[in-house]
Amino acid sequence: MTPMHWLWLGALALIVLSLAVLLPPLLSDQAAASESRNDAVLRRLYQAQWDELAREHQAGHLSAPDRAQAEDELQRRLLAELESRPAQKRWRHWPWLPRASALGVAVLLPVAAFALYLQTGNPEAAARLAQADDVGHGAADAQVEAMVEGLAQRLRAEPENVQGWVMLARSYETLERFADAGQAYSQALLAARRVQLDASVQAQLLADQADALGSAQGGDLQGPAGEAIAEALRLDPHQHKALALAGSAAVRQGDFALAATHWRALLAQLEPGSDIALRVQDDLLKLETLDAPPARPPAAVATNHLSGEILWPASVQAMALPPEAKVFVIVRAPGQAQPVAVLRLPAKGLPTRFTLDAAHLLNPAVALTDFAALQVSARLSPSGAALPTPQDVRSNVLSAKPGAGQLRLEMGGS
């Protein structure tokens, strides 16, 4: 056979393969319809607003009746948006249509393939396809933007709707329109002041506004963002997000001592040993390498540690541990719930020796030598979570003095 014959045979084989892939779904009685890109974006946007209502209710900023009313309004808007879409699934009421489509594909695909072959090398065809795809995506983005703008228009007639302005701000953040989000938070703050919401609510709005403004400025928290942070801390000195942002702003300015002050104030309010507390602790440790505090006396430094061994009995060794499993060595002062220091180790290294020193203190301003006696224990977390769970394996609890070595913590010995 000539090369031309091989070419046509190859084209025929590709057509048969394409039909083998396309025809079975069309001939099936249960064809699955995928959700359109517009609906996916719409549902994600409304889900974010629904979750925001739940967070505001849990924080005590939104009463149960107000939450129910807001959820009803949110559902009505979602249903209205979905019902306004043209129906795209009526073919399910016509059982003959999939089979007719299969027949059409079986006939038209070879014809279309031949036509495409005739246009091979024509760049205008590819350009037209790309242009059509861009138009489709542009239409979807425009529709989402129109939905958000519709919410903004409604809020202009409801200037005291605090939750509405917050939802609009969250929507802008989802679309990465951070400057518009900052303006929406500003409107929410004005509404909160008009209806005389308490200072903690206003401080939260100011912190959110500062975060949005900082994102709009590429992470720069100076100017209006810095003013919002300062006002938030004036209204509520314990506001978590404002303290975190204030520390970040201080680091960008090179004021590590001020950053440490803000982050230590934040750490004191967090659940000891929680993931966020450990992250703040790690950030504080990084600050120490940049701006180390005055050295302690040599005698105190020599005893500002604890060391020993974590044993791994045969009964516990039989456990099948996932790769993310962690062991937490926890040091507490007698009578105090919050740990003094925490050391994290991978469980796969057990049995192992450990040394816990100033780098593992939850509060770098406090040394192990500040306590006459300490309680040392270990906890194995199969999930690697910082918060305790019923599945964790614990060790015995030892009483030790600062500087003690040769400690023996046996997992499963509690």
Side-chain angles (χ1 to χ4, degrees), residues 6 99 122 166 260 277 291:
W6 285 112
R99 290 168 174 79
N122 183 0
V166 171
D291 188 18

Side-chain angles (χ1 to χ4, degrees), residues 52-284:
E52 177 64 21
L53 286 176
R55 286 193 296 269
E56 292 294 327
H57 176 66
Q58 291 175 357
H61 302 158
L62 186 66
S63 65
D66 290 342
R67 178 189 178 185
Q69 181 180 358
E71 288 178 346
D72 289 342
E73 174 62 24
L74 189 60
Q75 289 176 337
R76 285 195 296 270
R77 289 207 306 267
L78 177 58
L79 290 175
E81 293 290 350
L82 293 176
E83 290 175 359
S84 65
R85 303 283 180 90
Q88 298 179 355
K89 300 180 180 180
R90 292 184 57 87
W91 57 268
R92 291 185 176 180
H93 303 293
W94 301 328
W96 54 266
L97 185 55
R99 290 168 174 79
S101 300
L103 179 60
V105 168
V107 174
L108 293 178
L109 183 61
V111 176
F114 181 72
L116 183 62
Y117 170 76
L118 293 178
Q119 285 200 358
T120 299
N122 183 0
E124 296 182 0
R128 288 196 295 271
L129 290 175
Q131 183 179 9
D133 184 66
D134 291 341
V135 170
H137 288 294
D141 294 340
Q143 191 165 12
V144 174
E145 293 279 354
M147 288 164 42
V148 176
E149 291 306 320
L151 175 59
Q153 290 289 344
R154 286 193 293 271
L155 287 174
R156 292 189 182 97
E158 305 174 23
E160 295 184 358
N161 186 348
V162 178
Q163 294 305 317
W165 286 112
V166 171
M167 287 183 187
L168 179 62
R170 299 281 192 239
S171 301
Y172 282 143
E173 287 177 319
T174 301
L175 298 174
E176 298 185 355
R177 293 170 54 180
F178 298 112
D180 292 334
Q183 294 178 2
Y185 280 125
S186 178
Q187 293 296 326
L189 183 61
L190 292 174
R193 289 169 176 168
R194 281 195 294 266
V195 299
Q196 298 181 350
L197 294 181
D198 59 51
S200 63
V201 176
Q202 297 183 35
Q204 178 66 58
L205 292 173
L206 283 163
D208 290 338
Q209 181 188 28
D211 192 12
L213 293 175
S215 298
Q217 298 171 167
D220 185 5
L221 294 171
Q222 301 305 307
E227 295 171 2
I229 294 171
E231 179 65 12
L233 291 177
R234 186 189 69 80
L235 293 175
D236 183 2
H238 305 294
Q239 216 293 316
H240 290 189
K241 191 172 188 177
L243 286 170
L245 291 173
S248 299
V251 169
R252 291 178 69 92
Q253 290 182 305
D255 193 341
F256 305 128
L258 180 59
T261 299
H262 289 306
W263 286 346
R264 285 170 185 160
L266 173 61
L267 183 63
Q269 304 175 62
L270 300 175
E271 177 70 24
S274 64
D275 289 338
I276 185 172
L278 292 174
R279 286 198 297 270
V280 174
Q281 176 192 348
D282 290 342
D283 289 338
L284 285 168

